[in-house]
Amino acid sequence: MKLLMDRIRTSGQVEKGNILKVDSFLNHQIDVALLEEIGKELKRQFSDREITKILTIESSGIAIACIAARYFHCPVVFAKKSKSLNIAGDVYTARVESFTHKTTNDIVVSRKFLLPEDKILIIDDFLANGKAILGLSDLVRQAGATLVGAGVVIEKGFQDGGKRIRELGIDLHSLAIVESMDPDTGIVFRSEN
Amino acid sequence: MKLLMDRIRTSGQVEKGNILKVDSFLNHQIDVALLEEIGKELKRQFSDREITKILTIESSGIAIACIAARYFHCPVVFAKKSKSLNIAGDVYTARVESFTHKTTNDIVVSRKFLLPEDKILIIDDFLANGKAILGLSDLVRQAGATLVGAGVVIEKGFQDGGKRIRELGIDLHSLAIVESMDPDTGIVFRSEN
């Protein structure tokens, strides 16, 4: 998605440790107009598929999932990162390690919001080691629901998450795939197919 | 907002300890179509005011803020609940106690996303003791920005947060104010003005 790659080039910051900061438009300050274009593109990628629910994970997936949901005309469910007093005990859980935050969280979704008849699209902002999407897809499996695919805004193509997820047969669409990046020389994107 | 109050009555659950669960449509599963009506109503409430940024707090404020931002044509900034490796060191912080989660968090916003020339609308899902909105308004004050007002989806009118915020002169609009609630007898809303 050219608009997105242009924006990552102009507004993203590459930092040491394979960190790509997009906090000026995607995950701290949010450019909602850009998210609308991202939502339209995700709908285009999955236009022929029936989707009853979008599943994402707090916090930075929520904005993208909600704006995208406008084009899919379905609700969003977001997995929470730790068990809160406000979630019923009857939950599906999975363990997820965050590349960015160097933490491990249990992610939690109330059973009543993932049903066997649901056809689920997973949406997230970043794909690095793939742990978040694998954790979310495990919640879908636990619910007996159908995983239609996964839509990601930025994939770090030099990490193995995308490869692992595609090898599992998950229909993964990443709107921008970073092939390599360097604080001095900048970002190279994988050619759009 | 009648649509919202009807939805709280039909889909909300009142539990002991003054907990109102709206996780089927607002803060776990999200009804994006309802959020669009909420966004339009917030825009109507602040229609005569110039707003350059919407400020909210993760996680459940993000969905509402982003859908509302479509009608305000401005970006969203969300405060994070703890300092992450991915946030620059140059931040504004405030301490916020969560009524629901019985926890205290430092909330954090990067200085570069709150500017002295900004005219800020705070948006959040719940208002109970008001600590979240007071913390967010303190971030606005630290930035030297202008606080235009605050828009809340559900105010617990029997707690003192709304009163305190109005007494401070903050222009607060709550789309549904719960006057009282009880697991057995249900919810009474404050009359719409």
Side-chain angles (χ1 to χ4, degrees):
Chain A
M1 186 182 174
K2 186 173 182 308
L3 180 74
L4 173 64
M5 289 189 273
D6 289 347
R7 186 63 175 275
I8 296 168
R9 264 192 234 280
T10 55
S11 304
Q13 285 175 268
V14 180
E15 301 192 350
K16 285 182 181 168
N18 279 333
I19 299 289
L20 173 59
K21 284 184 67 171
V22 289
D23 61 355
S24 67
F25 61 96
L26 195 63
N27 51 22
H28 185 18
Q29 181 167 256
I30 299 168
D31 180 343
V32 176
L34 176 66
L35 254 52
E36 293 202 14
E37 297 307 314
I38 286 171
K40 282 180 207 168
E41 180 61 22
L42 288 169
K43 174 64 186 174
R44 204 181 63 80
Q45 299 278 352
F46 293 95
S47 59
D48 57 335
R49 312 295 299 277
E50 186 194 353
I51 286 159
T52 64
K53 243 165 232 174
I54 290 174
L55 178 65
T56 190
I57 184 167
E58 66 179 358
S59 288
S60 41
I62 297 173
I64 302 153
C66 284
I67 300 290
R70 295 184 55 245
Y71 302 99
F72 287 93
H73 304 287
C74 71
V76 169
V77 174
F78 68 89
K80 305 202 177 191
K81 275 183 183 157
S82 65
K83 194 164 172 149
S84 106
L85 294 179
N86 224 3
I87 296 203
D90 213 7
V91 295
Y92 300 113
T93 66
R95 184 147 285 192
V96 170
E97 183 190 331
S98 165
F99 172 78
T100 310
H101 300 276
K102 315 291 183 202
T103 54
T104 299
N105 285 110
D106 287 320
I107 64 169
V108 176
V109 167
S110 180
R111 285 174 187 246
K112 61 188 168 183
F113 302 135
L114 286 183
L115 305 175
E117 60 268 32
D118 273 327
K119 298 177 197 320
I120 306 283
L121 175 64
I122 291 171
I123 286 183
D124 207 2
D125 57 342
F126 267 98
L127 167 57
N129 60 23
K131 297 288 174 64
I133 288 177
L134 291 172
L136 291 170
S137 67
D138 193 46
L139 300 179
V140 174
R141 182 195 59 74
Q142 290 174 47
T146 303
L147 180 59
V148 174
V152 162
V153 179
I154 303 174
E155 178 180 338
K156 290 175 168 172
F158 52 86
Q159 290 185 245
D160 68 347
K163 184 164 177 287
R164 289 171 66 194
I165 286 165
R166 289 182 182 93
E167 282 174 358
L168 288 170
I170 295 173
D171 187 15
L172 170 66
H173 291 268
S174 301
L175 303 189
I177 303 180
V178 177
E179 197 67 86
S180 66
M181 61 185 200
D182 182 278
D184 299 321
T185 58
I187 300 170
V188 177
F189 290 103
R190 192 173 296 175
S191 306
E192 290 183 281
N193 294 316
Chain B
M1 185 181 172
K2 185 174 183 308
L3 181 73
L4 173 65
M5 289 189 275
D6 288 346
R7 187 62 174 274
I8 296 168
R9 264 192 235 279
T10 54
S11 304
Q13 287 175 266
V14 180
E15 300 192 350
K16 283 181 182 169
N18 279 334
I19 298 289
L20 174 59
K21 284 184 67 172
V22 289
D23 60 354
S24 67
F25 61 96
L26 195 63
N27 52 21
H28 186 18
Q29 180 168 258
I30 299 168
D31 179 343
V32 175
L34 175 67
L35 254 51
E36 293 201 18
E37 297 307 315
I38 286 171
K40 282 181 208 169
E41 179 61 22
L42 287 168
K43 173 64 186 172
R44 202 181 65 79
Q45 298 279 352
F46 293 96
S47 59
D48 58 334
R49 312 296 299 275
E50 186 194 354
I51 286 159
T52 64
K53 243 165 233 174
I54 290 173
L55 178 64
T56 188
I57 184 168
E58 66 178 358
S59 288
S60 40
I62 296 174
I64 302 153
C66 284
I67 300 288
R70 295 184 56 244
Y71 301 100
F72 287 92
H73 304 287
C74 72
V76 168
V77 174
F78 68 88
K80 304 202 177 190
K81 274 183 183 159
S82 65
K83 195 164 171 147
S84 107
L85 294 178
N86 224 4
I87 295 202
D90 213 8
V91 295
Y92 300 114
T93 67
R95 185 146 285 190
V96 171
E97 182 190 330
S98 165
F99 172 78
T100 309
H101 300 275
K102 313 292 183 202
T103 55
T104 298
N105 285 110
D106 287 320
I107 64 169
V108 176
V109 167
S110 180
R111 283 173 188 249
K112 61 187 169 183
F113 303 135
L114 285 184
L115 306 174
E117 60 267 34
D118 273 326
K119 299 177 198 318
I120 306 284
L121 174 65
I122 291 172
I123 286 183
D124 206 2
D125 57 343
F126 267 98
L127 167 57
N129 59 24
K131 297 288 175 65
I133 288 177
L134 291 171
L136 291 169
S137 68
D138 193 47
L139 300 179
V140 174
R141 183 196 59 75
Q142 290 174 46
T146 303
L147 179 59
V148 175
V152 162
V153 179
I154 303 173
E155 177 180 340
K156 289 175 168 171
F158 52 88
Q159 291 187 244
D160 67 346
K163 184 166 175 287
R164 290 172 64 194
I165 287 166
R166 289 182 183 94
E167 281 174 359
L168 288 170
I170 295 173
D171 187 15
L172 170 66
H173 291 268
S174 301
L175 303 189
I177 303 180
V178 177
E179 198 66 85
S180 66
M181 59 185 201
D182 182 278
D184 298 319
T185 57
I187 300 170
V188 177
F189 290 102
R190 192 173 297 175
S191 307
E192 289 183 282
N193 296 316

PDB file of all heavy atoms in Angstrom, chain B residues 88-119:
ATOM      1  N   ALA B  88       9.238   7.696  23.682  1.00  0.00           N
ATOM      2  CA  ALA B  88      10.422   8.528  23.929  1.00  0.00           C
ATOM      3  C   ALA B  88      10.426   8.984  25.385  1.00  0.00           C
ATOM      4  O   ALA B  88       9.387   9.039  26.052  1.00  0.00           O
ATOM      5  CB  ALA B  88      10.388   9.726  22.996  1.00  0.00           C
ATOM      6  N   GLY B  89      11.588   9.327  25.920  1.00  0.00           N
ATOM      7  CA  GLY B  89      11.694   9.726  27.302  1.00  0.00           C
ATOM      8  C   GLY B  89      11.022  11.049  27.603  1.00  0.00           C
ATOM      9  O   GLY B  89      10.697  11.335  28.751  1.00  0.00           O
ATOM     10  N   ASP B  90      10.788  11.837  26.585  1.00  0.00           N
ATOM     11  CA  ASP B  90      10.292  13.182  26.785  1.00  0.00           C
ATOM     12  C   ASP B  90       8.774  13.176  26.836  1.00  0.00           C
ATOM     13  O   ASP B  90       8.093  13.363  25.828  1.00  0.00           O
ATOM     14  CB  ASP B  90      10.803  14.051  25.631  1.00  0.00           C
ATOM     15  CG  ASP B  90      11.070  15.474  26.096  1.00  0.00           C
ATOM     16  OD1 ASP B  90      11.007  15.735  27.314  1.00  0.00           O
ATOM     17  OD2 ASP B  90      11.333  16.319  25.229  1.00  0.00           O
ATOM     18  N   VAL B  91       8.250  12.963  28.047  1.00  0.00           N
ATOM     19  CA  VAL B  91       6.815  12.711  28.187  1.00  0.00           C
ATOM     20  C   VAL B  91       6.196  13.586  29.276  1.00  0.00           C
ATOM     21  O   VAL B  91       6.889  14.075  30.170  1.00  0.00           O
ATOM     22  CB  VAL B  91       6.550  11.233  28.541  1.00  0.00           C
ATOM     23  CG1 VAL B  91       6.982  10.310  27.407  1.00  0.00           C
ATOM     24  CG2 VAL B  91       7.248  10.840  29.846  1.00  0.00           C
ATOM     25  N   TYR B  92       4.893  13.774  29.181  1.00  0.00           N
ATOM     26  CA  TYR B  92       4.101  14.294  30.295  1.00  0.00           C
ATOM     27  C   TYR B  92       3.489  13.097  31.024  1.00  0.00           C
ATOM     28  O   TYR B  92       3.069  12.132  30.386  1.00  0.00           O
ATOM     29  CB  TYR B  92       2.980  15.199  29.790  1.00  0.00           C
ATOM     30  CG  TYR B  92       3.454  16.400  29.020  1.00  0.00           C
ATOM     31  CD1 TYR B  92       3.166  16.527  27.666  1.00  0.00           C
ATOM     32  CD2 TYR B  92       4.178  17.416  29.637  1.00  0.00           C
ATOM     33  CE1 TYR B  92       3.601  17.637  26.941  1.00  0.00           C
ATOM     34  CE2 TYR B  92       4.613  18.518  28.920  1.00  0.00           C
ATOM     35  CZ  TYR B  92       4.332  18.619  27.573  1.00  0.00           C
ATOM     36  OH  TYR B  92       4.759  19.706  26.867  1.00  0.00           O
ATOM     37  N   THR B  93       3.442  13.163  32.338  1.00  0.00           N
ATOM     38  CA  THR B  93       2.855  12.047  33.092  1.00  0.00           C
ATOM     39  C   THR B  93       1.887  12.561  34.160  1.00  0.00           C
ATOM     40  O   THR B  93       1.993  13.696  34.633  1.00  0.00           O
ATOM     41  CB  THR B  93       3.939  11.207  33.819  1.00  0.00           C
ATOM     42  OG1 THR B  93       4.534  12.021  34.840  1.00  0.00           O
ATOM     43  CG2 THR B  93       5.003  10.728  32.856  1.00  0.00           C
ATOM     44  N   ALA B  94       0.971  11.713  34.531  1.00  0.00           N
ATOM     45  CA  ALA B  94       0.063  11.984  35.645  1.00  0.00           C
ATOM     46  C   ALA B  94      -0.285  10.645  36.280  1.00  0.00           C
ATOM     47  O   ALA B  94      -0.138   9.594  35.650  1.00  0.00           O
ATOM     48  CB  ALA B  94      -1.200  12.697  35.157  1.00  0.00           C
ATOM     49  N   ARG B  95      -0.719  10.682  37.501  1.00  0.00           N
ATOM     50  CA  ARG B  95      -1.072   9.449  38.218  1.00  0.00           C
ATOM     51  C   ARG B  95      -2.592   9.298  38.230  1.00  0.00           C
ATOM     52  O   ARG B  95      -3.318  10.236  38.538  1.00  0.00           O
ATOM     53  CB  ARG B  95      -0.535   9.526  39.640  1.00  0.00           C
ATOM     54  CG  ARG B  95      -0.750   8.253  40.432  1.00  0.00           C
ATOM     55  CD  ARG B  95       0.365   7.986  41.404  1.00  0.00           C
ATOM     56  NE  ARG B  95       1.556   7.500  40.726  1.00  0.00           N
ATOM     57  CZ  ARG B  95       2.630   7.005  41.360  1.00  0.00           C
ATOM     58  NH1 ARG B  95       2.660   6.969  42.673  1.00  0.00           N
ATOM     59  NH2 ARG B  95       3.662   6.571  40.673  1.00  0.00           N
ATOM     60  N   VAL B  96      -3.062   8.110  37.859  1.00  0.00           N
ATOM     61  CA  VAL B  96      -4.498   7.863  37.763  1.00  0.00           C
ATOM     62  C   VAL B  96      -4.857   6.559  38.458  1.00  0.00           C
ATOM     63  O   VAL B  96      -4.248   5.524  38.218  1.00  0.00           O
ATOM     64  CB  VAL B  96      -4.941   7.777  36.275  1.00  0.00           C
ATOM     65  CG1 VAL B  96      -6.388   7.297  36.187  1.00  0.00           C
ATOM     66  CG2 VAL B  96      -4.812   9.126  35.604  1.00  0.00           C
ATOM     67  N   GLU B  97      -5.880   6.654  39.288  1.00  0.00           N
ATOM     68  CA  GLU B  97      -6.392   5.487  39.999  1.00  0.00           C
ATOM     69  C   GLU B  97      -7.635   4.987  39.262  1.00  0.00           C
ATOM     70  O   GLU B  97      -8.525   5.779  38.952  1.00  0.00           O
ATOM     71  CB  GLU B  97      -6.768   5.954  41.412  1.00  0.00           C
ATOM     72  CG  GLU B  97      -7.269   4.924  42.358  1.00  0.00           C
ATOM     73  CD  GLU B  97      -7.809   5.617  43.609  1.00  0.00           C
ATOM     74  OE1 GLU B  97      -7.305   6.709  43.957  1.00  0.00           O
ATOM     75  OE2 GLU B  97      -8.742   5.082  44.209  1.00  0.00           O
ATOM     76  N   SER B  98      -7.666   3.707  38.939  1.00  0.00           N
ATOM     77  CA  SER B  98      -8.823   3.152  38.233  1.00  0.00           C
ATOM     78  C   SER B  98      -9.837   2.622  39.224  1.00  0.00           C
ATOM     79  O   SER B  98      -9.515   1.795  40.088  1.00  0.00           O
ATOM     80  CB  SER B  98      -8.384   2.025  37.302  1.00  0.00           C
ATOM     81  OG  SER B  98      -9.509   1.274  36.894  1.00  0.00           O
ATOM     82  N   PHE B  99     -11.087   3.102  39.096  1.00  0.00           N
ATOM     83  CA  PHE B  99     -12.150   2.597  39.955  1.00  0.00           C
ATOM     84  C   PHE B  99     -12.420   1.124  39.673  1.00  0.00           C
ATOM     85  O   PHE B  99     -12.529   0.302  40.574  1.00  0.00           O
ATOM     86  CB  PHE B  99     -13.440   3.415  39.738  1.00  0.00           C
ATOM     87  CG  PHE B  99     -14.620   2.836  40.442  1.00  0.00           C
ATOM     88  CD1 PHE B  99     -14.788   3.021  41.802  1.00  0.00           C
ATOM     89  CD2 PHE B  99     -15.552   2.073  39.757  1.00  0.00           C
ATOM     90  CE1 PHE B  99     -15.873   2.472  42.467  1.00  0.00           C
ATOM     91  CE2 PHE B  99     -16.642   1.517  40.422  1.00  0.00           C
ATOM     92  CZ  PHE B  99     -16.797   1.720  41.777  1.00  0.00           C
ATOM     93  N   THR B 100     -12.496   0.796  38.362  1.00  0.00           N
ATOM     94  CA  THR B 100     -12.883  -0.558  37.973  1.00  0.00           C
ATOM     95  C   THR B 100     -11.805  -1.572  38.324  1.00  0.00           C
ATOM     96  O   THR B 100     -12.081  -2.658  38.818  1.00  0.00           O
ATOM     97  CB  THR B 100     -13.137  -0.619  36.460  1.00  0.00           C
ATOM     98  OG1 THR B 100     -14.017   0.433  36.123  1.00  0.00           O
ATOM     99  CG2 THR B 100     -13.743  -1.943  36.052  1.00  0.00           C
ATOM    100  N   HIS B 101     -10.556  -1.198  38.042  1.00  0.00           N
ATOM    101  CA  HIS B 101      -9.484  -2.187  38.158  1.00  0.00           C
ATOM    102  C   HIS B 101      -8.770  -2.144  39.511  1.00  0.00           C
ATOM    103  O   HIS B 101      -7.891  -2.954  39.765  1.00  0.00           O
ATOM    104  CB  HIS B 101      -8.479  -1.999  37.011  1.00  0.00           C
ATOM    105  CG  HIS B 101      -9.111  -2.157  35.662  1.00  0.00           C
ATOM    106  ND1 HIS B 101      -9.273  -3.382  35.075  1.00  0.00           N
ATOM    107  CD2 HIS B 101      -9.633  -1.252  34.805  1.00  0.00           C
ATOM    108  CE1 HIS B 101      -9.865  -3.229  33.907  1.00  0.00           C
ATOM    109  NE2 HIS B 101     -10.102  -1.950  33.720  1.00  0.00           N
ATOM    110  N   LYS B 102      -9.129  -1.178  40.347  1.00  0.00           N
ATOM    111  CA  LYS B 102      -8.520  -1.063  41.685  1.00  0.00           C
ATOM    112  C   LYS B 102      -6.998  -0.969  41.599  1.00  0.00           C
ATOM    113  O   LYS B 102      -6.281  -1.590  42.377  1.00  0.00           O
ATOM    114  CB  LYS B 102      -8.906  -2.265  42.576  1.00  0.00           C
ATOM    115  CG  LYS B 102     -10.372  -2.636  42.569  1.00  0.00           C
ATOM    116  CD  LYS B 102     -11.238  -1.579  43.224  1.00  0.00           C
ATOM    117  CE  LYS B 102     -12.707  -2.012  43.272  1.00  0.00           C
ATOM    118  NZ  LYS B 102     -13.604  -0.851  43.404  1.00  0.00           N
ATOM    119  N   THR B 103      -6.528  -0.265  40.579  1.00  0.00           N
ATOM    120  CA  THR B 103      -5.080  -0.111  40.392  1.00  0.00           C
ATOM    121  C   THR B 103      -4.756   1.371  40.233  1.00  0.00           C
ATOM    122  O   THR B 103      -5.629   2.191  39.941  1.00  0.00           O
ATOM    123  CB  THR B 103      -4.603  -0.826  39.125  1.00  0.00           C
ATOM    124  OG1 THR B 103      -5.373  -0.323  38.004  1.00  0.00           O
ATOM    125  CG2 THR B 103      -4.775  -2.328  39.220  1.00  0.00           C
ATOM    126  N   THR B 104      -3.489   1.704  40.431  1.00  0.00           N
ATOM    127  CA  THR B 104      -3.016   3.054  40.155  1.00  0.00           C
ATOM    128  C   THR B 104      -1.959   2.975  39.055  1.00  0.00           C
ATOM    129  O   THR B 104      -1.039   2.151  39.130  1.00  0.00           O
ATOM    130  CB  THR B 104      -2.419   3.682  41.419  1.00  0.00           C
ATOM    131  OG1 THR B 104      -3.447   3.757  42.405  1.00  0.00           O
ATOM    132  CG2 THR B 104      -1.908   5.095  41.134  1.00  0.00           C
ATOM    133  N   ASN B 105      -2.120   3.789  38.033  1.00  0.00           N
ATOM    134  CA  ASN B 105      -1.188   3.796  36.914  1.00  0.00           C
ATOM    135  C   ASN B 105      -0.625   5.185  36.698  1.00  0.00           C
ATOM    136  O   ASN B 105      -1.317   6.184  36.913  1.00  0.00           O
ATOM    137  CB  ASN B 105      -1.904   3.420  35.608  1.00  0.00           C
ATOM    138  CG  ASN B 105      -2.213   1.936  35.513  1.00  0.00           C
ATOM    139  OD1 ASN B 105      -3.363   1.531  35.585  1.00  0.00           O
ATOM    140  ND2 ASN B 105      -1.180   1.132  35.379  1.00  0.00           N
ATOM    141  N   ASP B 106       0.609   5.228  36.246  1.00  0.00           N
ATOM    142  CA  ASP B 106       1.085   6.468  35.665  1.00  0.00           C
ATOM    143  C   ASP B 106       0.622   6.488  34.212  1.00  0.00           C
ATOM    144  O   ASP B 106       0.816   5.522  33.471  1.00  0.00           O
ATOM    145  CB  ASP B 106       2.617   6.526  35.724  1.00  0.00           C
ATOM    146  CG  ASP B 106       3.096   6.781  37.140  1.00  0.00           C
ATOM    147  OD1 ASP B 106       2.458   7.592  37.834  1.00  0.00           O
ATOM    148  OD2 ASP B 106       4.094   6.166  37.550  1.00  0.00           O
ATOM    149  N   ILE B 107      -0.004   7.602  33.808  1.00  0.00           N
ATOM    150  CA  ILE B 107      -0.360   7.726  32.398  1.00  0.00           C
ATOM    151  C   ILE B 107       0.644   8.663  31.750  1.00  0.00           C
ATOM    152  O   ILE B 107       1.148   9.598  32.369  1.00  0.00           O
ATOM    153  CB  ILE B 107      -1.814   8.185  32.186  1.00  0.00           C
ATOM    154  CG1 ILE B 107      -2.054   9.596  32.735  1.00  0.00           C
ATOM    155  CG2 ILE B 107      -2.785   7.191  32.807  1.00  0.00           C
ATOM    156  CD1 ILE B 107      -3.394  10.181  32.308  1.00  0.00           C
ATOM    157  N   VAL B 108       0.919   8.380  30.504  1.00  0.00           N
ATOM    158  CA  VAL B 108       2.058   8.975  29.824  1.00  0.00           C
ATOM    159  C   VAL B 108       1.654   9.419  28.421  1.00  0.00           C
ATOM    160  O   VAL B 108       0.998   8.661  27.700  1.00  0.00           O
ATOM    161  CB  VAL B 108       3.189   7.914  29.719  1.00  0.00           C
ATOM    162  CG1 VAL B 108       4.364   8.445  28.922  1.00  0.00           C
ATOM    163  CG2 VAL B 108       3.631   7.446  31.090  1.00  0.00           C
ATOM    164  N   VAL B 109       2.029  10.642  28.054  1.00  0.00           N
ATOM    165  CA  VAL B 109       1.888  11.092  26.662  1.00  0.00           C
ATOM    166  C   VAL B 109       3.194  11.734  26.234  1.00  0.00           C
ATOM    167  O   VAL B 109       3.778  12.532  26.976  1.00  0.00           O
ATOM    168  CB  VAL B 109       0.730  12.104  26.497  1.00  0.00           C
ATOM    169  CG1 VAL B 109       0.799  12.798  25.137  1.00  0.00           C
ATOM    170  CG2 VAL B 109      -0.614  11.413  26.631  1.00  0.00           C
ATOM    171  N   SER B 110       3.643  11.388  25.056  1.00  0.00           N
ATOM    172  CA  SER B 110       4.843  11.990  24.505  1.00  0.00           C
ATOM    173  C   SER B 110       4.628  13.494  24.290  1.00  0.00           C
ATOM    174  O   SER B 110       3.595  13.918  23.785  1.00  0.00           O
ATOM    175  CB  SER B 110       5.173  11.309  23.168  1.00  0.00           C
ATOM    176  OG  SER B 110       6.327  11.875  22.619  1.00  0.00           O
ATOM    177  N   ARG B 111       5.612  14.288  24.718  1.00  0.00           N
ATOM    178  CA  ARG B 111       5.471  15.747  24.632  1.00  0.00           C
ATOM    179  C   ARG B 111       5.225  16.248  23.221  1.00  0.00           C
ATOM    180  O   ARG B 111       4.562  17.262  23.000  1.00  0.00           O
ATOM    181  CB  ARG B 111       6.750  16.423  25.153  1.00  0.00           C
ATOM    182  CG  ARG B 111       6.848  16.413  26.666  1.00  0.00           C
ATOM    183  CD  ARG B 111       8.186  16.914  27.147  1.00  0.00           C
ATOM    184  NE  ARG B 111       8.291  16.699  28.571  1.00  0.00           N
ATOM    185  CZ  ARG B 111       8.296  17.682  29.476  1.00  0.00           C
ATOM    186  NH1 ARG B 111       8.246  18.949  29.099  1.00  0.00           N
ATOM    187  NH2 ARG B 111       8.371  17.399  30.753  1.00  0.00           N
ATOM    188  N   LYS B 112       5.747  15.510  22.253  1.00  0.00           N
ATOM    189  CA  LYS B 112       5.647  16.016  20.873  1.00  0.00           C
ATOM    190  C   LYS B 112       4.217  15.940  20.328  1.00  0.00           C
ATOM    191  O   LYS B 112       3.934  16.525  19.280  1.00  0.00           O
ATOM    192  CB  LYS B 112       6.624  15.272  19.963  1.00  0.00           C
ATOM    193  CG  LYS B 112       6.411  13.801  19.857  1.00  0.00           C
ATOM    194  CD  LYS B 112       7.553  13.114  19.065  1.00  0.00           C
ATOM    195  CE  LYS B 112       7.437  11.603  19.223  1.00  0.00           C
ATOM    196  NZ  LYS B 112       8.509  10.873  18.583  1.00  0.00           N
ATOM    197  N   PHE B 113       3.310  15.237  21.034  1.00  0.00           N
ATOM    198  CA  PHE B 113       1.949  15.115  20.516  1.00  0.00           C
ATOM    199  C   PHE B 113       0.932  15.987  21.247  1.00  0.00           C
ATOM    200  O   PHE B 113      -0.254  15.969  20.916  1.00  0.00           O
ATOM    201  CB  PHE B 113       1.506  13.647  20.536  1.00  0.00           C
ATOM    202  CG  PHE B 113       2.427  12.763  19.752  1.00  0.00           C
ATOM    203  CD1 PHE B 113       2.862  11.550  20.261  1.00  0.00           C
ATOM    204  CD2 PHE B 113       2.879  13.161  18.494  1.00  0.00           C
ATOM    205  CE1 PHE B 113       3.722  10.748  19.536  1.00  0.00           C
ATOM    206  CE2 PHE B 113       3.734  12.363  17.760  1.00  0.00           C
ATOM    207  CZ  PHE B 113       4.174  11.151  18.286  1.00  0.00           C
ATOM    208  N   LEU B 114       1.379  16.737  22.255  1.00  0.00           N
ATOM    209  CA  LEU B 114       0.503  17.736  22.896  1.00  0.00           C
ATOM    210  C   LEU B 114       1.241  19.064  22.851  1.00  0.00           C
ATOM    211  O   LEU B 114       2.254  19.246  23.540  1.00  0.00           O
ATOM    212  CB  LEU B 114       0.202  17.372  24.355  1.00  0.00           C
ATOM    213  CG  LEU B 114      -0.784  16.242  24.624  1.00  0.00           C
ATOM    214  CD1 LEU B 114      -1.005  16.105  26.130  1.00  0.00           C
ATOM    215  CD2 LEU B 114      -2.109  16.457  23.912  1.00  0.00           C
ATOM    216  N   LEU B 115       0.716  19.999  22.065  1.00  0.00           N
ATOM    217  CA  LEU B 115       1.423  21.252  21.818  1.00  0.00           C
ATOM    218  C   LEU B 115       0.657  22.427  22.421  1.00  0.00           C
ATOM    219  O   LEU B 115      -0.561  22.354  22.591  1.00  0.00           O
ATOM    220  CB  LEU B 115       1.583  21.449  20.309  1.00  0.00           C
ATOM    221  CG  LEU B 115       2.250  20.261  19.583  1.00  0.00           C
ATOM    222  CD1 LEU B 115       2.246  20.467  18.077  1.00  0.00           C
ATOM    223  CD2 LEU B 115       3.669  20.036  20.108  1.00  0.00           C
ATOM    224  N   PRO B 116       1.363  23.518  22.750  1.00  0.00           N
ATOM    225  CA  PRO B 116       0.682  24.662  23.365  1.00  0.00           C
ATOM    226  C   PRO B 116      -0.475  25.199  22.516  1.00  0.00           C
ATOM    227  O   PRO B 116      -1.456  25.703  23.053  1.00  0.00           O
ATOM    228  CB  PRO B 116       1.808  25.710  23.479  1.00  0.00           C
ATOM    229  CG  PRO B 116       3.069  24.923  23.502  1.00  0.00           C
ATOM    230  CD  PRO B 116       2.827  23.714  22.645  1.00  0.00           C
ATOM    231  N   GLU B 117      -0.372  25.058  21.204  1.00  0.00           N
ATOM    232  CA  GLU B 117      -1.437  25.586  20.335  1.00  0.00           C
ATOM    233  C   GLU B 117      -2.620  24.624  20.180  1.00  0.00           C
ATOM    234  O   GLU B 117      -3.616  24.966  19.535  1.00  0.00           O
ATOM    235  CB  GLU B 117      -0.875  25.953  18.952  1.00  0.00           C
ATOM    236  CG  GLU B 117      -0.249  24.811  18.184  1.00  0.00           C
ATOM    237  CD  GLU B 117       1.255  24.704  18.406  1.00  0.00           C
ATOM    238  OE1 GLU B 117       1.729  25.015  19.542  1.00  0.00           O
ATOM    239  OE2 GLU B 117       1.970  24.284  17.470  1.00  0.00           O
ATOM    240  N   ASP B 118      -2.520  23.442  20.775  1.00  0.00           N
ATOM    241  CA  ASP B 118      -3.603  22.462  20.621  1.00  0.00           C
ATOM    242  C   ASP B 118      -4.843  22.836  21.429  1.00  0.00           C
ATOM    243  O   ASP B 118      -4.739  23.333  22.547  1.00  0.00           O
ATOM    244  CB  ASP B 118      -3.130  21.059  21.038  1.00  0.00           C
ATOM    245  CG  ASP B 118      -2.459  20.303  19.902  1.00  0.00           C
ATOM    246  OD1 ASP B 118      -2.875  20.496  18.746  1.00  0.00           O
ATOM    247  OD2 ASP B 118      -1.514  19.541  20.172  1.00  0.00           O
ATOM    248  N   LYS B 119      -5.992  22.554  20.823  1.00  0.00           N
ATOM    249  CA  LYS B 119      -7.288  22.698  21.491  1.00  0.00           C
ATOM    250  C   LYS B 119      -7.853  21.285  21.631  1.00  0.00           C
ATOM    251  O   LYS B 119      -8.223  20.647  20.657  1.00  0.00           O
ATOM    252  CB  LYS B 119      -8.196  23.603  20.662  1.00  0.00           C
ATOM    253  CG  LYS B 119      -7.605  25.008  20.491  1.00  0.00           C
ATOM    254  CD  LYS B 119      -8.459  25.877  19.610  1.00  0.00           C
ATOM    255  CE  LYS B 119      -7.697  27.087  19.077  1.00  0.00           C
ATOM    256  NZ  LYS B 119      -6.832  27.753  20.058  1.00  0.00           N
TER     257      LYS B 119
END
